[in-house]
Amino acid sequence: MALNTALPRLVALAGGVGGARLAHGLAHRLDPDHLSIIVNTGDDFEHLGLLICPDLDTVLYNLAGVHHPDQGWGRADETFHVLEEAARLGHDPWFRLGDKDLALHLLRRQMLAAGLRLTAVTAELARRFGVVHPILPMSDDPVRTVIGTPEGELAFQDYFVRQRCRPRMVGMRLEGLETARPAPAAVAALERAEAVVICPSNPYVSIGPILALPGLRERVQARPTVAVSPIVGGQALKGPAAKMMAELGVEVSALGVARHYAGLIRGFVLDQRDAHLAPAVAALGLRVLVTDTVMTDTAARVRLAGEVLAFVRELIRES
Ligand code: GDP
Ligand code: CA
């Protein structure tokens, strides 16, 4: 593991696949005292009596190195015997849960039933997977993303998995936000952080819920913060981010993302394919790093993490 001489104490904000990829790269560069990952729980839902936490688990599986190599969720070398049998017995298997994945879900259910908060449950699961970096749910209270469509509202996983993001998004709402508090460990990590990295996650449904919790946006804003664009060449590499931007009337480009975060961040990381947008991003008052941001393998994750860290250190020196 890398030595941290002069390396900053960082918090990374992450959703699922894009967030997990960069968080994994950062975890190769920083020891656990220098990197905490605050993860979206707005996608969480109850299913088959279990609490499903897609983004927490994607981050956990990636840091543990047991993630599915290209699917963006779930585990490598997975089987689906339980789900197949449940389907034979009449269960609609619209939400895929593999056998190994189910083992984690059963343990999470047991720990929650014993009275542990989600932060403690996640820490314990991470420990059992040998993950040493803190993976912190944004809140221990339920916050549930609801997508507004012309036909009415859809719970997030209904929209995302069952309907494959086909309905047009006309708005979103975070159920439970009025009473939810940010998780104390997430707040403490932000308090200790010298800088924040917003991973290349969906700005609306992955990063939005984290920033919506009371006090979190302000704490991010108070630090040198860098965002990595999840939009590359006018497209999302996975998921509905680009479709959502179009439906919300926002320019579908890395510049659109930079505008979304302007006022919150000081630096923005653009893919080399979008280098022509650098002057327009700089005109928003942001420092710009142009590089290859497509994390095709572990080496690419670690390389991008190194470049992001160097960029963050520059911003810290200037602040
Ligand atoms: P989800 O919760 O699994 O949907 O994942 P996130 O919200 O964390 O990530 C979705 C976003 O990650 C999409 O907009 C993708 O374009 C982006 N993304 C995924 N992999 C990469 C990558 O290697 N590089 C960059 N720049 N963006 C990525
Ligand atoms: Ca997600």
Side-chain angles (χ1 to χ4, degrees), residues 209-230:
I210 301 175
L211 296 173
L213 284 158
L216 293 198
R217 171 179 286 273
E218 292 76 2
R219 285 187 173 86
V220 171
Q221 199 162 26
R223 284 161 183 77
T225 294
V226 161
V228 180
S229 179

Side-chain angles (χ1 to χ4, degrees), residues 118-183:
L118 188 59
T119 298
V121 172
T122 306
E124 179 58 21
L125 290 171
R127 191 184 69 76
R128 295 187 190 189
F129 273 91
V131 169
V132 291
H133 294 82
I135 299 176
L136 306 173
M138 65 184 195
S139 179
D140 291 322
D141 305 321
V143 175
R144 300 290 175 259
T145 298
V146 177
I147 303 292
T149 80
E151 278 74 53
E153 292 191 325
L154 290 173
F156 184 74
Q157 297 300 338
D158 254 358
Y159 163 82
F160 190 71
V161 179
R162 212 200 284 257
Q163 312 243 24
R164 294 164 202 264
C165 309
R166 275 185 294 248
R168 183 157 61 87
M169 179 186 183
V170 296
M172 66 176 276
R173 174 169 78 77
L174 298 170
E175 203 170 273
L177 186 66
E178 319 73 44
T179 51
R181 288 149 304 164

Side-chain angles (χ1 to χ4, degrees), residues 109-124:
R109 172 47 75 211
Q110 186 187 35
M111 292 181 211
L112 288 169
L116 291 185
R117 291 178 172 276
L118 188 59
T119 298
V121 172
T122 306
E124 179 58 21

